[in-house]
Each structure stands twice: as C-alpha cells, then as structure tokens.
Amino acid sequence: MIEIKNISKWYGAFRVLTDCTTQVEKGEVIVVCGPSGSGKSTLIKCVNGLEAFQQGDIFVNGTSVGDPKTNLPKLRSHVGMVFQHFELFPHMTITENLSIAQVKVLGRSRDEANERGMKLLDRVGLKPHAHKHPGQLSGGQQQRVAIARALSMDPICMLFDEPTSALDPEMVNEVLDVMVQLAHEGMTMMVVTHEMGFARKVSDRVIFMDQGSIVEDATKEDFFGKPRSERAQQFLSKILSH
Amino acid sequence: MLALDFAFFTPELISGYIVKGFIFSLQLTLVAMVGGIILGTLLALMRLSGRPWLVMPAAAYVNTMRSIPLVMVILWFFLLIPLVIGKPLGAETSAIITFTLFEAAYYSEIMRAGIQSISRGQVAAGYALGMSYRQTMGLIVLPQAFRNMLPVLLTQTIILFQDTSLVYAIGAYDLLKGFEIAGKNFNRPVETYLVAAVLYFIISFSLSMLVRKLQQRIAIVR
C-alpha cells in the first residue's frame, strides 16, 4: 500500500532524513516512534507530499509521490491525515468541516456529504455537537472530529502525526479508542506516536527512528521483547520506566 | 469679531449643492474599497507565492504606491491617462480608478499580514484533504484572514473616506467641493467649511466606533 524507498531529505545543508526505506501493507498498522527531532513527522508528511524530498521515492497504491507529473491533490484526497494540532477549520461548523472537502474535492452533493459526515460524527460519538464551531469543543473532541473528517473522504490509508501529543492526559484515551477501533476494522495506518500502549495493542510493526534514519523496523513482539539497537533499548527504557 | 450665520443652510442648499458631492464621495469610497481589497488580496498572494516573477512586480507596485503622496498620484493619473488613451477621462472616473489602484497597495499589506496570521497547519490540512492551492486559499485561508483583518480593513477605509477630499486637486465634484461652491455662492466660506468639517468628523467617528464594536465581537468569537 505504502512503499518508502531510500528517502533522503535536506533543509539546506542539514540532512533531516537519511535513506529511509520501509513499507506498509494493506491492513497493516505501523507505529513510528523515536526521540523528538528524529524525523518521524517529516517522514510521514513525505508520504502524502506535504513535505518534499530530494532523493528516493514513495509509492502510495502504486502511484509515485516524487514524480512531478503525479496529481498530488488527487493522491492526497484518498490518503487521510490527522495532525497533532487537529487543524479543524475554525470559521466553519463541525458539519461544514466534515462536508467541505467531500463536496469541493470529491464532487459529492451537499446532502450526500452531510449524511456521510453525520454517520462518521455519530461513530466518534459527537453527533450532538454537529452545529458547533471547533473552538467550542475540547481538544479530544476536536481530534475525534478531525479523524471523522479524514474518514469522510473514504481514504485507502490513514496517516497520524502525533495525534495525542497536544492533548490533556485525560483526553488521550478517547482519541486512542477511536484509532484502535479503526485498526480493528482493518484500516491501513501509519501512526507517529509515543503511545507505546497503543503500539503494543494494535500495531503490526514498530519503526524506531533516530537522527533521520530508520534504526529499527521490527514486529512489535521483537521491538518490545528484544530491540536490537542500543539506541532503541535506551529509548524504550526511558519511556517505559514509569 | 466672528459672527457666524447658518441661516442660509436650507434644505434647498443641501439638495442643490451637497447631496451630489456626498453621493460621489460615498461611491468613490465604496468602489475603491471593494476594488482595492480584491486587487490588494491578489497582490498579497503574489508577494507570498515564493515565485520571484510574481513577488518582484507585486513588491515593486506596493512599495512605489506607498512612497508617493496620494495627491500626486491623483494629479499624474489625471494628466497622463488622456495622453495614453487619447481622450480625457473626466475627473470623477479618473479619481475612481486612481483610488482603487492606490488603496490596493495599502489593503495588500493588511491582507498579507492577515494571510500570514493563519497557521501553516491550516494550509497543510487543506492540502491533505486533496484541495488545490486555489481551494485552500479561497475556502480556508482567505476567509479567516479576512475575518481577522476586518477591523483593520475598515479603519483603512475610514482613512480612504477622508482622503477622497483630495480629489479637489483635479476638480472632481465630491462632498467637500459641494460645500466649497455653496460657500462661494453665498459668500459664507467659514460657515460652510465648518459644517463640512463637522460632517466628516461625524461620519468618520461613528465608523470608528463601529469598528471598535466589531473588534470586540471578533475577539469574543475567537
């Protein structure tokens, strides 16, 4: 589904990604973790072309992201993305947030888009909030709406960029619950997160990054059981010590 | 001794001299505001495009307009355009075009600040949903930028309204001109200029109050 082949990226002279290679099969859930500044967010943003890369290529369902001839908006329209800071559109109601891209990008009728939006809003448990603006919701609620918004486009896979990092601790679980449910339904997911509980519970593989490189790419059993690299061992011992 | 006499200010005088000028001043303000904001937004998008062949002409235009006194732009435009198109344009039409072009430079700086106030994450969210540049700007960024900047845009419009009096330089019939002619005909220039000043003050000041109210409302919504 997603093939990342030898990606390298520079900001000027500074190399942020070094020769990253991995793939996500259909229905797989991959967790990407690592210390801050390790390039994990940058890597996931390369997958739908929000960040450009200078070397290598990424294929989403066989379509090259790096090829200048690729219709990137079209590719992005069926790759869902959830951001750290939700990025709901504050000048629109929740209903409009859910329907705007369906209407403007997919060309659905407003009724069809609203119906689809409501169904998903109900699924994340927020149907009574449809008429509100994002500013009237809590962080956890906003992030659940953001997930519903991404799902409204009927994506073939979902990218999550630290979806719970900006949330108050008591709101983390309501978002993770939605993600776990999604994983169980067979959605292909690539998730940048520090939530090791989530990784343990639903991931198929864990990718550990450090200084722009993929240091470890292992099944979750191997990763949590016996990480090969010293760097990953250190990282795990630090975040799992409490 | 200053003896003021306002007895000559009859409804006939107002409808005969003032209304015509008032309508033109209003028309000039509104056309230059709408045209200036549209043109200014395009200039702002050009300057933020990151493409040198769009950035440079837009920057040159804005900086030039902002470095020349308005009254000179009014005069030069009035004198030069007939030479280019081969026939006189008329003071009123010339004023409307000049003000739109001139104000666009100022509105563009406001819109540029407004666009930059919207986080890059909002743009990324638009793109991630498959929207084009045009859709992301038109549906996500510009509506928010416009709303955030509405008080500043309106304040600029109040300044614009006051500046419309500069069309006296090319003899266009605006609000001030109406008072001036009335003052001459009745030989009461002090009284007419005084009433003109009070009228400009009332209009500008009440608009300022309106902007302040609006600002508070926007602050609450955010």
Side-chain angles (χ1 to χ4, degrees):
Chain A
M1 179 71 70
I2 301 170
E3 279 179 277
I4 299 173
K5 285 185 173 169
N6 307 103
I7 287 295
S8 289
K9 178 181 172 66
W10 287 262
Y11 284 125
F14 180 67
R15 191 167 194 174
V16 279
L17 292 175
T18 306
D19 206 22
C20 295
T21 298
T22 189
Q23 69 290 316
V24 186
E25 302 299 333
K26 190 172 190 312
E28 249 187 337
V29 177
I30 305 294
V31 163
V32 184
C33 63
S36 57
S38 60
K40 50 197 191 310
S41 282
T42 309
L43 181 66
I44 203 172
K45 282 179 184 152
C46 286
V47 173
N48 63 353
L50 285 182
E51 292 273 4
F53 43 85
Q54 284 80 38
Q55 262 177 31
D57 204 353
I58 297 177
F59 295 89
V60 177
N61 219 9
T63 308
S64 159
V65 178
D67 186 346
K69 289 197 286 286
T70 297
N71 183 346
L72 271 184
K74 187 163 183 233
L75 181 143
R76 289 177 184 136
S77 70
H78 46 83
V79 175
M81 186 156 204
V82 176
F83 297 87
Q84 182 176 3
H85 297 286
F86 332 133
E87 305 301 350
L88 295 179
F89 306 131
H91 57 304
M92 299 177 190
T93 63
I94 301 305
T95 309
E96 290 165 337
N97 263 280
L98 289 165
S99 63
I100 180 113
Q102 293 187 67
V103 174
K104 301 289 179 181
V105 177
L106 300 181
R108 289 179 183 161
S109 72
R110 197 156 288 281
D111 287 344
E112 194 187 355
N114 281 341
E115 194 185 329
R116 179 97 182 103
M118 276 315 113
K119 206 175 265 178
L120 287 161
L121 196 59
D122 193 26
R123 196 176 133 178
V124 298
L126 293 170
K127 205 174 179 184
H129 300 279
H131 62 282
K132 292 185 182 170
H133 279 81
Q136 297 167 279
L137 302 186
S138 72
Q141 290 173 326
Q142 288 190 53
Q143 193 63 299
R144 280 145 68 196
V145 173
I147 294 173
R149 182 176 69 179
L151 290 174
S152 75
M153 304 294 283
D154 295 321
I156 55 171
C157 59
M158 290 277 286
L159 309 172
F160 293 83
D161 183 14
E162 305 209 29
T164 58
S165 300
L167 296 175
D168 289 339
E170 74 262 30
M171 292 171 187
V172 169
N173 280 332
E174 60 185 82
V175 171
L176 288 179
D177 286 345
V178 173
M179 291 169 62
V180 168
Q181 194 194 348
L182 209 55
H184 285 324
E185 286 167 15
M187 176 60 81
T188 310
M189 294 161 70
M190 191 167 171
V191 186
V192 173
T193 185
H194 291 126
E195 295 294 335
M196 287 303 121
F198 173 81
R200 273 218 166 106
K201 202 165 171 183
V202 296
S203 78
D204 296 295
R205 271 180 20 247
V206 179
I207 289 169
F208 177 77
M209 289 185 72
D210 191 31
Q211 293 177 2
S213 298
I214 294 179
V215 178
E216 192 123 356
D217 185 345
T219 63
K220 71 173 166 192
E221 290 79 12
D222 283 352
F223 183 76
F224 290 110
K226 42 179 195 306
R228 279 167 299 165
S229 67
E230 203 177 312
R231 192 69 190 79
Q233 285 168 17
Q234 280 174 1
F235 179 78
L236 276 178
S237 70
K238 270 182 197 151
I239 64 169
L240 296 177
S241 61
H242 294 290
Chain B
M1 233 358 248
L2 191 63
L4 295 177
D5 177 12
F6 292 97
F8 71 97
F9 258 96
T10 56
E12 288 75 32
L13 177 140
I14 291 171
S15 62
Y17 292 88
I18 312 301
V19 170
K20 180 186 166 199
F22 184 63
I23 288 173
F24 176 68
S25 286
L26 220 58
Q27 195 187 7
L28 180 56
T29 306
L30 290 177
V31 173
M33 174 182 76
V34 173
I37 289 176
I38 293 171
L39 194 59
T41 303
L42 289 175
L43 285 166
L45 288 173
M46 283 169 74
R47 286 193 82 173
L48 294 171
S49 69
R51 290 168 199 194
W53 56 278
L54 287 173
V55 174
M56 272 154 55
Y61 180 89
V62 171
N63 290 328
T64 307
M65 281 299 192
R66 297 194 343 137
S67 308
I68 304 174
L70 174 54
V71 70
M72 286 185 66
V73 182
I74 294 169
L75 271 171
W76 275 111
F77 205 81
F78 184 63
L79 297 172
L80 282 179
I81 289 303
L83 295 181
V84 176
I85 63 170
K87 56 172 184 178
L89 205 53
E92 278 76 16
T93 314
S94 178
I96 286 177
I97 297 171
T98 310
F99 270 85
T100 305
L101 294 177
F102 186 83
E103 291 300 322
Y106 286 85
Y107 285 124
S108 116
E109 289 296 87
I110 298 169
M111 285 310 291
R112 187 159 72 120
I115 293 166
Q116 283 176 318
S117 76
I118 307 304
S119 81
R120 291 169 58 94
Q122 287 283 302
V123 179
Y127 284 151
L129 286 164
M131 290 183 188
S132 61
Y133 170 82
R134 193 185 270 258
Q135 288 173 321
T136 305
M137 283 298 150
L139 300 168
I140 314 293
V141 177
L142 289 180
Q144 293 186 64
F146 189 78
R147 200 191 69 179
N148 291 354
M149 288 295 131
L150 199 54
V152 191
L153 290 168
L154 288 177
T155 302
Q156 180 62 36
T157 304
I158 296 170
I159 299 171
L160 161 63
F161 171 69
Q162 292 164 1
D163 283 352
T164 55
S165 58
L166 289 174
V167 298
Y168 86 89
I170 54 173
Y173 200 118
D174 74 326
L175 180 58
L176 188 60
K177 183 85 168 181
F179 279 106
E180 187 195 321
I181 293 176
K184 275 185 185 145
N185 286 0
F186 290 86
N187 201 20
R188 286 279 173 199
V190 177
E191 282 87 345
T192 47
Y193 279 132
L194 200 62
V195 174
V198 169
L199 191 58
Y200 273 103
F201 174 82
I202 290 172
I203 293 170
S204 300
F205 187 71
S206 40
L207 283 173
S208 297
M209 290 293 108
L210 209 73
V211 170
R212 191 175 295 181
K213 271 231 172 81
L214 195 77
Q215 222 158 6
Q216 285 163 350
R217 265 190 52 187
I218 289 177
I220 292 167
V221 173
R222 242 187 276 163

